[in-house]
Amino acid sequence: EAGVAQSPRYKIIEKRQSVAFWCNPISGHATLYWYQQILGQGPKLLIQFQNNGVVDDSQLPKDRFSAERLKGVDSTLKIQPAKLEDSAVYLCASSLGPGLGRGNYGYTFGSGTRLTVV
Amino acid sequence: AQRVTQPEKLLSVFKGAPVELKCNYSYSGSPELFWYVQYSRQRLQLLLRHISRESIKGFTADLNKGETSFHLKKPFAQEEDSAMYYCALRGGGSNYKLTFGKGTLLTVNP
């Protein structure tokens, strides 16, 4: 099966500019996650979608970050305006979804988008 | 609240030596624990999960609820085991989100 696709792979922008990342999950995966991984740290969940609804966005800096998954398939994550501290790898992951029993979660990560804010 | 602690940022061993990567967690309920691995220039991928009680690439991990630990072990390390290892916890509730530790960089020297 095809994996989780993300684009672009790399992006360099100046602070205060805007940027958008795109993710196409595995076909049939209802749950989609965006994680932020700052250098030297583990991935941190930004937002979780179940189909096209938001399940958890408690750690999303909503003053500058936004995300959508309009048709319940692919998703975009946007930062506007970017700050230096947003430099990180942004990972998208998908899974069949919760409620399918413990252990049956099918989490698959994309390759990530490396963002550098200068 | 869910928290995962990996106390070692770096771990260096020689080929053939035993290796143990430590992971401790904090969670009020009954969690699921996982180990993820990221090899150089590759994406994050699942190594093993406690619920399967499996051994992958010679690695095992046992969930110790008394000590709230899920340490990753391998009796004889290989050079190809060099990678970044992340311990992760998934709680219950409605979202099943993964909470990751900060990771341990394992280097296996020849």
Side-chain angles (χ1 to χ4, degrees), chain A residues 58-69:
Chain A
S58 57
Q59 297 190 93
L60 186 74
K62 298 179 186 64
D63 58 332
R64 298 183 300 105
F65 286 64
S66 64
E68 59 184 15
R69 192 184 185 201

Side-chain angles (χ1 to χ4, degrees), chain B residues 7-54:
Chain B
E8 304 143 327
K9 289 191 70 172
L10 304 169
L11 184 61
S12 182
V13 301
F14 285 103
K15 177 182 172 182
V19 63
E20 181 180 50
L21 289 86
K22 291 183 168 51
C23 172
N24 290 91
Y25 67 90
S26 174
Y27 183 67
S28 57
S30 185
E32 289 184 78
L33 275 297
F34 306 87
W35 276 99
Y36 278 80
V37 61
Q38 189 166 27
Y39 300 102
S40 179
R41 300 177 188 276
Q42 294 187 26
R43 63 184 67 191
L44 197 60
Q45 58 186 285
L46 176 67
L47 180 62
L48 54 78
R49 47 189 172 175
H50 93 270
I51 213 165
S52 302
R53 295 185 156 272
E54 56 203 346

Side-chain angles (χ1 to χ4, degrees), chain A residues 31-42:
Chain A
T31 309
L32 185 147
Y33 313 80
W34 282 103
Y35 281 83
Q36 179 193 55
Q37 186 173 17
I38 293 173
L39 186 65
Q41 299 182 23

Side-chain angles (χ1 to χ4, degrees), chain A residues 7 9 11 18 32-33 63 73 77 86-87 99 113 117:
Chain A
S7 67
R9 288 297 305 275
K11 190 74 178 178
S18 302
L32 185 147
Y33 313 80
D63 58 332
V73 181
L77 175 69
D86 298 332
S87 294
T113 295
V117 183

Side-chain angles (χ1 to χ4, degrees), chain A residues 37 48 56 98 103 105 111, chain B residues 32 43 46 49 86 95-96:
Chain A
Q37 186 173 17
Q48 176 184 347
D56 185 345
Y105 70 109
S111 297
Chain B
E32 289 184 78
R43 63 184 67 191
L46 176 67
R49 47 189 172 175
Y86 295 96
N95 59 18
Y96 287 83

